[in-house]
Amino acid sequence: MTNGPSDLTGALVVRGDVVTPAEVLPDAAVAVRGDRIVWVGAADDVPATHRPPRPAPGTLVLPGLVDLHCHGGGGASFPDATTPDEVRRAADEHLRHGTTALVASLVTAPRDVLLARTALLADAVDAGVVAGIHLEGPFLSAARCGAQHPDDMVPGDPGLVRAVAATARGHLVTMTVAPEVAGVVGDDDVLRALVEAGALPSVGHTDASAEQTDAAIDRAFDLLATSPGARSHRPTATHLFNGMRPLHHRDPGPVAACLAAAARGELVVELVADGTHLAPATVRSVLDLVGADAAVLVTDAMAAAGMPDGDYRLGPMAVRVADGVARLLEHDLAEPGAAPRVGAIAGGVAHLLDVVRATVTAGVPLVAAVRAASSTPAQVLGRPDLGAVLPDHRADLLVTTPGLEPTCVLRAGAWVA
């Protein structure tokens, strides 16, 4: 560990306008030794022997991004993967675009499938390919199933949670649950089983009332507050607005409850701010209301991220991507020979840097947008050493053009090919 810029022997120095959690440092430098950041400061303070060439004006140095909700990319899908190579292909697609820590998401599926996929992903976490595991279901509302298969949704089962957690070997980060589903909230309930396993409950795919949502958030928050193994003291909300009963002034539902809890510091909300799932004004309004420390940008990406339009799979569901939007393919059982029609949005096709760019375009300040895609999700993940260009953090850097197009990526001190 160096005490200042005078001791940069053997260090790699990256220069540009550096985005920290608090500000943009113009013409600054980041010094890396091994897999750690050892110094951040003015580029002119770097000894001439170590000073890198001045990049193009406005070149940005961001922290590596952290995606808490991703189903795949590069033509590979975590819910459908059966080999380590498929998992790595999906993760690498996002890594090349600056997501240096990614939580792999599964979808609602039968018990044996969930356990098999969880075991595969746990191996991938051990190998450093992904940073954790997220289960989207199976304790969800059929009324708000979205791209989830309703036939695989089941009542809350703490035993299933414990089985999944055991298979995950400590790598289960979050599970999306609907508060109104029987067994999710109660005494010996799903929420308690998740917290005891070191995972965070996440409200989503729900038709719950505001009161039901409040009760679930309060219980999850209280359980986390008394759990020494909790990776975060706040539960989350899975892709706020999407897969939820809509906000209405006489029926506020889960959206209002989640926003209020986030504003109180008791919840972190996910936003799929890709320009498809949410209107730009919605993204801007939420970040104005709760701040970048209570909101995380996610992709909800599926296999088509980084791929051309066409037909893909998301677990048991067929998906068609057209004009960059993924939608379910629905078959009319009354007309067996009829062509399928497109239905609900079925995940995203963006990389997290694309989401950051869309968020900035929506009017959110750059520092806030980057924080919501880096340091805040790192805190949720329980990895405060990730997601910030600060000394003692893992050396994950994303260098971009002024327009937030990626040019190169450093992960744990090594350049990504």
Side-chain angles (χ1 to χ4, degrees), residues 87-88 102-104 117-134 168-173 231 381 383 394 411:
V87 175
R88 185 176 290 276
L102 179 148
V103 174
R117 299 294 185 271
T118 298
L120 180 65
L121 292 177
D123 290 341
V125 180
D126 287 341
V129 176
V130 297
I133 304 167
H134 161 228
R169 304 194 303 274
H171 301 315
L172 181 62
V173 176
R231 63 180 68 240
L381 183 57
R383 290 291 304 274
R394 196 173 79 178
R411 183 177 187 270

Side-chain angles (χ1 to χ4, degrees), residues 315-342:
M317 311 300 277
V319 177
R320 176 160 295 166
V321 179
D323 298 323
V325 178
R327 292 187 178 274
L328 290 181
L329 279 180
E330 299 176 343
H331 295 269
D332 189 341
L333 298 180
E335 298 183 47
R341 60 179 181 270
V342 293

Side-chain angles (χ1 to χ4, degrees), residues 269-284:
V269 297
E270 292 181 0
L271 299 174
V272 190
D274 57 2
T276 297
H277 285 75
L278 299 171
T282 301
V283 176
R284 187 173 62 249

Side-chain angles (χ1 to χ4, degrees), residues 65 67 70-78 81 83-104 121 124 127-131 301-307 350-353 394 398 406 408-411 414-417:
L65 305 182
D67 192 353
C70 180
H71 296 284
S77 166
F78 297 126
T83 67
D85 285 346
E86 291 171 288
V87 175
R88 185 176 290 276
R89 176 155 55 113
D92 283 352
E93 172 62 35
H94 293 277
L95 176 60
R96 287 192 298 270
H97 290 81
T99 300
T100 53
L102 179 148
V103 174
L121 292 177
V129 176
V130 297
M302 41 81 71
M307 301 293 288
H351 306 104
L352 191 50
L353 183 59
R394 196 173 79 178
L398 165 59
C408 51
V409 178
L410 190 78
R411 183 177 187 270
W415 293 110
V416 173

